[in-house]
């Protein structure tokens, strides 16, 4: 220390390397959780309920470790699947893929139905509604046959 109460220090490349290596050691994965070992003499003195609680705690800890491993594997798998989907989407974009446009079925019947209802005679629209329902049913059957083949 100097007479003014200030502390002086020097940062060297060696100090920086040592600090960096300690940082990497801290990032190393840790071992699975295990409870501290119990002394063998004291275990026999514990009541049965305490022994059951310790056993249950061990089971839960092991289950938690296993669940974390499975979760990590699922996350890795998800990342791989997302990458595949993105690659496939990009491939489709690059190839200029476009969705085939289809004409809207039953447009005339739908329009006739709408005009009839707008006219105010709701009970007189039965014929227009029946024609629209018949056309829509037929369009549905055709669409189902196209998708199944």
């Amino acid at each position: 220390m100097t007479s003014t109460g200030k502390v002086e220090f020097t940062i060297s490349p060696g100090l920086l390397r040592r600090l960096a290596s300690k940082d990497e050691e801290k990032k190393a994965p840790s071992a699975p959780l295990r409870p501290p070992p119990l002394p063998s003499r004291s275990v026999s003195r514990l009541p049965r309920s305490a022994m059951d609680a310790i056993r249950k705690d061990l089971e839960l800890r092991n289950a938690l470790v296993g669940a974390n491993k499975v979760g990590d594997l699922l996350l890795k798998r998800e990342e791989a699947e997302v990458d595949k989907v993105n690659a496939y989407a990009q491939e489709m974009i690059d190839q200029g893929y476009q969705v085939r446009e289809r004409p809207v079925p039953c447009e005339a019947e739908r329009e006739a139905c709408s005009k009839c209802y707008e006219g105010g005679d709701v009970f007189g629209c039965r014929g227009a509604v029946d024609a629209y329902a018949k056309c829509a049913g037929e369009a549905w059957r055709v669409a189902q046959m196209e998708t199944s083949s």
Side-chain angles (χ1 to χ4, degrees), residues 53-119:
I54 291 171
R55 192 174 304 113
K56 187 67 174 176
D57 184 53
L58 273 172
E59 291 170 8
L60 290 174
R61 285 178 186 228
N62 289 336
L64 178 64
V65 168
N68 284 337
K69 286 180 183 177
V70 169
D72 290 342
L73 290 173
L74 287 173
L75 286 174
K76 287 179 185 176
R77 179 69 181 187
E78 179 186 20
E79 290 171 5
E81 291 298 319
V82 167
D83 290 342
K84 284 182 187 177
V85 169
N86 287 336
Y88 184 66
Q90 188 60 46
E91 180 182 320
M92 291 179 76
I93 290 169
D94 292 343
Q95 291 176 358
Y97 179 80
Q98 294 180 352
V99 177
R100 180 178 57 143
E101 290 191 32
R102 299 179 187 177
V104 177
C106 311
E107 268 190 278
E109 290 84 353
R110 182 181 59 82
E111 191 63 35
C113 221
S114 294
K115 283 185 180 181
C116 184
Y117 279 128
E118 289 171 2

Side-chain angles (χ1 to χ4, degrees), residues 5-25:
K6 293 182 181 178
V7 176
E8 294 178 7
F9 58 94
T10 304
I11 299 175
S12 67
L15 176 63
L16 292 175
R17 279 192 296 273
R18 279 189 285 166
L19 290 174
S21 67
K22 285 184 181 182
D23 224 7
E24 289 174 9
E25 290 173 6

